[in-house]
Amino acid sequence: MGWAVAVAVLLSASPTFVTKGDVTPEADLRREAQAAWRSLEAQYAAQAGGLPARAPATVTLQKGTSLTPERNAQGRPGVVELRQNAPGVLDARTRTALRHELAHQLLWWACPASSEDRLFHEAFALTVSGELPAWRDGPYQSLSSAAQAVASAPAVDTPRARRGLARILGEHTGFPAALTRRLRQCHDGARWAAPLTVEELADVAVLAPEPATVVVSRHSGEVLFSEGDVRRAVPYGSALKPFLYAAGTVLASPRDARGSGTSSEAAGRAAPDSNAPPLLAPRRGVQEWACGAGLPPKVDARMALLRSCNGWFLDWEATGLAPKAFGVWGPVLSSVGLTGLPSDMTEAIGLRSAHGLSPWGMAQAYRLLAEARPDVLALLTGNVDEGTLSGLSTSRALKGVATKTGTVRDAASRPQFGWIAAVDADLVAVIMRPGKMPRHFVDELPALLARVRRQAGLDAARVQVLGLLPSTTAEARCAGAGFSLDDGVPRAAPPDFSRLDALTAKGPAVCLGSPWRVRFPDGPDGGRDYAGVFIGSPPPPYRPPPGVPTTPSALKARRGSDFVFRTTRVQYTAGVVAAEDVTLQGEARIALARIAAHNERHADTRHPGRALCDTTHCQAFRGTVRIRPEESRALQLPALKWDTWLTFSQGGDTPWREVRPRSEVEALLGTNLVSLRFESGRVRYLRTEGTPAAPYEDARSLPCDTLRAGLRLPSCPQRASFDGPRVRFEGQGRGHGEGLDVEAAKASPGLSSDALLERAFGARGGASTPTP
């Protein structure tokens, strides 16, 4: 029957429905889809408060070729696949499945921020498709068993999970309030930082909390370890008091801490100014002031924070000077899933459990706090010496680790939840244990940090990025919760792409829960992922060495970039290998990864006093990618023995021929060229000097890579010949031809990475002097 396209004129926001002739009758199918869309759209608009201004994309309706037996339909953005048991018959089951899948299509168009939230998608589709009554048929199901069924299948893609979801949706009459809140949030353009939970949907706690542990990287933000339901929000106790402290203090010298990679880098330089919270006298006999023996006559904010003195925070509020709803940090905590802002200090410090936060959300918030306020993290390192975790056998093992505890108690003062948040130079760890006090499970923390650190390469790596671009042309967007730090104060980044130089104008830019997405003119469609922290850092002026010809592109590369990007060393290494040769495998990939990681520690040979660049002047880096086993293995191996920059090139033996205008060659080497030859990694040439009456030939020499880069040749030539106004070059392979020959490494499957590196660098004891 060929392709048939419906004319979408019934509703301005309706998509164009396209059929392919494999589900019939086509005209009826398209009319059914249009009618269903109008109904779904009306329900969405009523709850969300409106519809997007942009038109929806085309939706193709076709027969499903890989549907599992329990599925009648499935879809992806722009495509709905249907099961049709009898040709030419659109039975009730097919119509219901079509409405269900069109509900997903509607959300992908109208609420793209929710695309990864499977529970929200399924809850909306079940609610608006008209299929809830059918799912509710059957034996009675308790709310807790329904919640357990959904929790056991987070994709909600099994009949048991959907039946459980239908039971939860039936807990309240009318359109579910939780879905309405989320739809309005999406229509208002708010971030979708935390996925919908079963508790939020049912508006009650239906599952008993289980132990949860999560560890994230301070640098890349990636989750390195997760155990238990780390996305479930529960009361947080005193664990968020550091955010009250940060909101109530400012840095005396905030710019000293800008861009610091660890709390220790700025711990001694940044301190609260004279506007710090007041000294307060303890009130004897008041339970909230029972925070350890030996309190001084006046307690400052530091001691109150380390000892978690509830009375001090309550009395601070009484002065009228305490921040409300966590001050400038309230939007940060909300963006990572805090279920509500506190109305007073009792809720903020957890004396009343009105709100909750998930372990994942707490880890994200502490990651940003560590970046913004290294002084607060330095203060929290004292917790194991004089705070709530002091005097334990584990305290010494946590020396230098910033920690904060929290305990949620019931009416009989029994512990309901215990929290520990911990931050060291590279990691943020959060442990939540039901029914336990933090001092009773703190011994898990050192073992947890050691276990995660068995993943090699979690320390920081820094690289200057986007240096060949005008700094005003790079734009970044955070799909999670993005923040720019303004002298230690978090400012929400725009939800859409915005200029990177503006994001980093006053401090680092951090994306919580997602990599940054960076785009620029003539770059790849959709941009590149950068999982890490951007820092504005203009380089000093660059002056090329006298007598060394340098192209405009080379000048940009040698100058460096206005942006420094920090991520983990394994993420940086994987990015370099992918940029240099994505096809590498096995020992050859390990060898190149070891070189990339080694060179990151030798940045001074390329940019003295600064991080490496991301161009071929250093080693290419085009954002972070999925880490492969070879990169992890490379960083587990011993450090390389050569204390110098190690070069590598694509290499190979494929011959090439290139022609360049003589004027372009002479722009690099000078006029009146007589001859060109190449040996030992250098170009040697003669130029005619003097006067017409007394000419003479002047011999000169430069690194061959200067000529190769300036003329954009595949590798250092082997031969050159003059052909009137042109110069012909011949050579083989790719790159400057020094150090590790990547193609030769690929062709040596029997050699280990050690043998490949020894073959490339052992005889010379290191690499040649880098090009200036």
Side-chain angles (χ1 to χ4, degrees):
M1 295 185 63
W3 289 71
V5 181
V7 180
V9 296
L10 299 178
L11 188 66
S12 60
S14 291
T16 298
F17 291 104
V18 176
T19 54
K20 299 176 64 175
D22 49 6
V23 181
T24 56
E26 294 182 84
D28 289 351
L29 176 61
R30 294 194 300 271
R31 280 193 294 270
E32 182 75 23
Q34 289 168 346
W37 185 274
R38 289 196 299 272
S39 172
L40 296 171
E41 188 183 59
Q43 294 180 76
Y44 181 96
Q47 301 301 323
L51 293 166
R54 66 187 186 282
T58 297
V59 176
T60 299
L61 309 174
Q62 64 188 49
K63 186 174 182 179
T65 58
S66 58
L67 293 173
T68 56
E70 67 271 11
R71 284 183 176 274
N72 291 310
Q74 63 186 16
R76 60 186 184 276
V79 177
V80 172
E81 298 182 359
L82 298 166
R83 183 193 305 281
Q84 187 173 39
N85 296 322
V89 178
L90 298 178
D91 57 20
R93 181 173 294 183
T94 302
R95 295 172 189 270
T96 300
L98 174 63
R99 289 195 300 272
H100 183 102
E101 293 304 325
L102 288 181
H104 291 300
Q105 297 291 331
L106 181 73
L107 286 183
W108 282 323
W109 162 61
C111 189
S114 69
S115 296
E116 301 300 320
D117 193 334
R118 294 296 300 273
L119 178 59
F120 173 77
H121 258 249
E122 286 301 322
F124 177 81
L126 284 179
T127 299
V128 300
S129 63
E131 58 188 299
L132 270 181
W135 281 109
R136 289 171 182 158
D137 289 343
Y140 170 78
Q141 187 178 26
S142 69
L143 189 59
S144 60
S145 63
Q148 190 62 50
V150 175
S152 64
V156 203
D157 57 354
T158 67
R160 180 171 176 266
R162 289 189 178 179
R163 188 171 292 109
L165 180 56
R167 167 67 177 87
I168 295 168
L169 290 169
E171 183 67 13
H172 304 282
T173 59
F175 199 92
L179 296 185
T180 300
R181 287 194 300 269
R182 291 294 187 131
L183 292 173
R184 291 187 180 276
Q185 168 187 330
C186 198
H187 186 64
D188 293 341
R191 291 180 175 85
W192 202 278
L196 183 72
T197 64
V198 171
E199 283 79 12
E200 182 182 353
L201 193 58
D203 201 24
V204 293
V206 293
L207 289 174
E210 297 180 353
T213 306
V214 65
V215 182
V216 303
S217 167
R218 280 187 61 176
H219 313 304
S220 68
E222 62 192 307
V223 174
L224 303 170
F225 179 85
S226 177
E227 192 171 68
D229 190 357
V230 300
R231 293 278 191 158
R232 184 184 180 189
V234 297
Y236 47 79
S238 298
L240 299 185
K241 283 177 179 173
F243 297 90
L244 287 168
Y245 177 94
T249 60
V250 296
L251 292 175
S253 302
R255 294 181 186 274
D256 290 343
R258 180 177 302 170
S260 63
T262 67
S263 59
S264 61
E265 291 179 15
R269 302 194 302 267
D273 70 359
S274 57
N275 295 322
L279 294 169
L280 297 174
R283 289 183 288 142
R284 298 186 183 279
V286 176
Q287 176 62 31
E288 287 76 18
W289 272 100
C291 45
L295 288 178
K298 296 284 187 178
V299 175
D300 63 7
R302 177 183 181 279
M303 178 174 287
L305 184 57
L306 292 179
R307 294 202 183 187
S308 207
C309 288
N310 291 328
W312 187 93
F313 284 90
L314 294 173
D315 289 357
W316 184 23
E317 181 184 41
T319 67
L321 300 175
K324 299 183 183 300
F326 293 110
V328 296
W329 287 91
V332 174
L333 294 167
S334 294
S335 73
V336 295
L338 184 65
T339 57
L341 291 175
S343 59
D344 58 22
M345 188 63 78
T346 61
E347 292 183 2
I349 63 177
L351 284 179
R352 286 198 299 122
S353 301
H355 306 292
L357 184 63
S358 69
W360 177 88
M362 187 173 293
Q364 298 296 332
Y366 267 94
R367 179 185 174 223
L368 187 63
L369 181 68
E371 194 70 35
R373 295 296 300 269
D375 61 305
V376 178
L377 270 293
L379 185 161
L380 292 175
T381 60
N383 198 26
V384 296
D385 294 321
E386 50 186 309
T388 57
L389 293 179
S390 61
L392 299 171
S393 59
T394 313
S395 300
R396 181 174 296 182
L398 294 174
K399 191 76 173 177
V401 178
T403 58
K404 182 66 187 83
T405 61
T407 305
V408 180
R409 298 177 182 273
D410 62 15
S413 197
R414 293 170 299 197
Q416 288 184 301
F417 307 102
W419 289 86
I420 298 176
V423 185
D424 68 9
D426 303 308
L427 307 175
V428 180
V430 174
I431 305 175
M432 189 280 292
R433 296 290 181 265
K436 290 186 177 182
M437 297 181 63
R439 289 174 68 91
H440 295 163
F441 61 86
V442 67
D443 56 337
E444 297 180 35
L445 182 56
L448 172 66
L449 296 176
R451 176 181 178 179
V452 174
R453 283 197 174 279
R454 287 201 287 268
Q455 304 174 44
L458 300 183
D459 49 328
R462 295 169 177 81
V463 53
Q464 300 181 74
V465 294
L466 310 170
L468 298 182
L469 301 171
S471 60
T472 58
T473 62
E475 296 181 321
R477 179 177 69 87
C478 174
F483 291 92
S484 295
L485 297 178
D486 182 351
D487 290 340
V489 176
R491 309 292 188 194
D496 295 323
F497 280 101
S498 56
R499 282 174 44 172
L500 186 57
D501 61 343
L503 290 172
T504 58
K506 295 185 177 181
V510 184
C511 182
L512 304 179
S514 173
W516 286 105
R517 191 71 171 172
V518 177
R519 70 180 185 185
F520 47 86
D522 301 322
D525 292 342
R528 301 172 180 166
D529 281 343
Y530 284 79
V533 178
F534 281 106
I535 302 161
S537 179
Y542 175 77
R543 296 179 178 84
V548 177
T550 309
T551 65
S553 178
L555 278 174
K556 291 180 182 178
R558 285 155 176 74
R559 170 189 177 271
S561 171
D562 291 327
F563 306 113
V564 172
F565 174 69
R566 191 179 86 243
T567 186
T568 60
R569 197 148 66 102
V570 67
Q571 282 278 9
Y572 169 73
T573 300
V576 170
V577 174
E580 294 286 358
D581 191 334
V582 72
T583 66
L584 270 180
Q585 297 180 0
E587 292 295 318
R589 192 179 186 99
I590 292 174
L592 183 57
R594 295 177 74 183
I595 294 174
H598 170 91
N599 285 346
E600 192 273 331
R601 292 294 187 258
H602 290 78
D604 273 356
T605 63
R606 284 317 201 233
H607 294 274
R610 287 180 63 79
L612 253 57
C613 61
D614 63 348
T615 68
T616 53
H617 174 59
C618 300
Q619 47 194 20
F621 177 79
R622 301 191 184 99
T624 51
V625 298
R626 184 182 297 276
I627 297 169
R628 288 184 33 175
E630 290 95 333
E631 284 93 42
S632 298
R633 171 64 177 154
L635 271 69
Q636 291 169 347
L637 294 172
L640 299 182
K641 63 183 179 181
W642 300 280
D643 188 21
T644 185
W645 181 270
L646 300 180
T647 56
F648 58 89
S649 66
Q650 191 66 42
D653 54 9
T654 303
W656 58 262
R657 291 180 177 84
E658 299 278 347
V659 177
R660 297 291 183 269
R662 182 168 182 145
S663 60
E664 189 175 337
V665 180
E666 291 188 337
L668 281 171
L669 303 181
T671 58
N672 301 319
L673 283 176
V674 176
S675 68
L676 283 169
R677 61 189 179 89
F678 307 92
E679 61 182 22
S680 302
R682 298 188 71 81
V683 52
R684 305 185 188 279
Y685 56 99
L686 296 177
R687 286 172 31 186
T688 300
E689 301 282 3
T691 65
Y696 66 92
E697 292 182 343
D698 181 34
R700 300 197 179 191
S701 172
L702 280 174
C704 187
D705 200 45
T706 301
L707 181 74
R708 179 193 69 86
L711 297 179
R712 303 171 304 283
L713 297 173
S715 66
C716 184
Q718 296 172 324
R719 291 171 296 279
S721 58
F722 294 95
D723 182 10
R726 300 180 298 178
V727 181
R728 298 182 180 275
F729 294 96
E730 297 180 41
Q732 66 179 34
R734 300 275 169 178
H736 47 61
E738 300 175 10
L740 179 72
D741 183 321
V742 174
E743 290 298 324
K746 288 182 186 178
S748 306
L751 295 182
S752 67
S753 66
D754 283 328
L756 292 171
L757 294 170
E758 192 68 30
R759 184 173 69 180
F761 307 111
R764 290 176 289 173
S768 60
T769 303
T771 304

